[in-house]
Amino acid sequence: IAGIDGNGQTEFVSALTGLDKISGGKITLCGKDITKASIRTRSTSGMSHIPEDRHKHGLVLDYSLEDNIVLQRYFEPQFTNKFGFLKRKEIREYAQRLIEQYDVRSGQGVITKTRAMSGGNQQKAIIAREIDKEHELLVAVQPTRGLDVGAIEYIHKQLVARRDAGKAVLLVSLELDEVMNVSDRILVMYEGEIVGELDPKKTNVQELGLYMAGAKNNMKAGGAANE
């Protein structure tokens, strides 16, 4: 999904992921109606979400890094025993593996308060958690915001790897180059509506920019009026 900020992408993602209720329509995931499902149900049904606002929807800033990494999975048997107590050793080992794999840097390792980490490393922690979690759909909203060039390239490879593994990836980005380089199909949102569907192999940044600015849509409307 491409579009200039403020054209409905945030509302669309909020409805899709359960952050907001929808006023009409239907949402299905792998054939299952999740229109009224809770956020946890959507998560356990196979949806992962890298949110636009990492502080508001992605992390509990006063929790440790390891607790944030299992935030979506702490209730699973792997991390909680039959009496409901957390398996600290398993949580720490799992968090340590993801920290190393995604190069998440923090002063005190897994016990670091997430608030004390840089924005880029906070983002890496969310990406590690959501990509590693079992999913059929990965909703990635501005996933590389605040990351350095090397990290951006690594994340793009991870998104493509999920695609290659047969998973659906919905990338929502304001970055034209990111949209062009990563996507197989581009939908452009303008004023809350899908105004274009483009093949990145057959379009260019200039045409995509015109759709995002509403110029293409206005040209079509003007042509229809003239006819």
Side-chain angles (χ1 to χ4, degrees), residues 6-224:
N7 277 276
Q9 305 97 309
T10 298
E11 291 79 5
F12 170 69
V13 171
S14 293
L16 179 64
T17 58
L19 291 171
D20 285 325
K21 293 181 179 179
I22 63 173
S23 57
K26 183 178 180 181
I27 303 172
T28 60
L29 177 62
C30 300
K32 179 182 178 182
D33 187 345
I34 60 167
T35 308
K36 297 181 180 179
S38 66
I39 293 174
R40 176 179 285 193
T41 298
R42 293 176 201 228
S43 177
T44 55
S45 295
M47 182 185 294
S48 283
H49 177 206
I50 300 169
E52 179 179 9
D53 189 330
R54 57 177 166 258
H55 289 172
K56 187 175 181 181
H57 296 129
L59 299 163
V60 180
L61 292 175
D62 288 323
Y63 279 14
S64 65
L65 176 54
E66 64 183 3
D67 284 345
N68 270 289
I69 283 180
V70 295
L71 205 56
Q72 302 279 36
R73 303 183 56 190
Y74 68 88
F75 50 84
E76 295 179 4
Q78 179 183 349
F79 302 118
T80 303
N81 65 26
K82 62 182 180 180
F83 301 108
F85 291 104
L86 295 175
K87 298 178 180 178
R88 277 291 163 196
K89 181 173 179 289
E90 285 76 3
I91 289 174
R92 186 152 296 182
E93 289 175 351
Y94 175 70
Q96 190 61 50
R97 177 173 68 79
L98 292 194
I99 287 168
E100 292 173 3
Q101 182 179 341
Y102 286 82
D103 191 29
V104 183
R105 301 180 185 183
S106 57
Q108 295 177 286
V110 295
I111 64 170
T112 303
K113 282 282 195 295
T114 313
R115 186 183 297 278
M117 295 165 54
S118 69
N121 283 298
Q122 289 175 352
Q123 187 73 359
K124 287 183 188 177
I126 295 170
I127 289 168
R129 179 185 73 209
E130 298 300 324
I131 289 182
D132 197 74
K133 182 172 75 70
E134 188 62 36
H135 60 268
E136 295 300 325
L137 167 64
L138 174 63
V139 181
V141 188
Q142 304 280 33
T144 57
R145 179 185 286 174
L147 301 183
D148 58 46
V149 174
I152 289 172
E153 183 179 355
Y154 180 77
I155 298 308
H156 285 171
K157 287 180 179 178
Q158 290 297 315
L159 295 178
V160 173
R162 301 319 298 151
R163 186 278 313 271
D164 292 344
K167 310 302 180 182
V169 179
L170 178 63
L171 169 66
V172 181
S173 178
L174 307 177
E175 302 293 335
L176 289 177
D177 289 340
E178 183 167 65
V179 171
M180 291 290 289
N181 294 333
V182 179
S183 306
D184 295 311
R185 182 166 62 112
I186 302 171
L187 298 179
V188 184
M189 286 193 79
Y190 178 73
E191 293 186 344
E193 297 183 355
I194 300 294
V195 297
E197 180 175 341
L198 306 171
D199 182 340
K201 295 177 182 177
K202 297 178 181 178
T203 189
N204 53 51
V205 170
Q206 288 73 27
E207 182 180 29
L208 180 57
L210 286 172
Y211 272 104
M212 290 171 65
K216 280 281 188 178
N217 202 35
N218 292 336
M219 289 164 60
K220 289 179 183 178

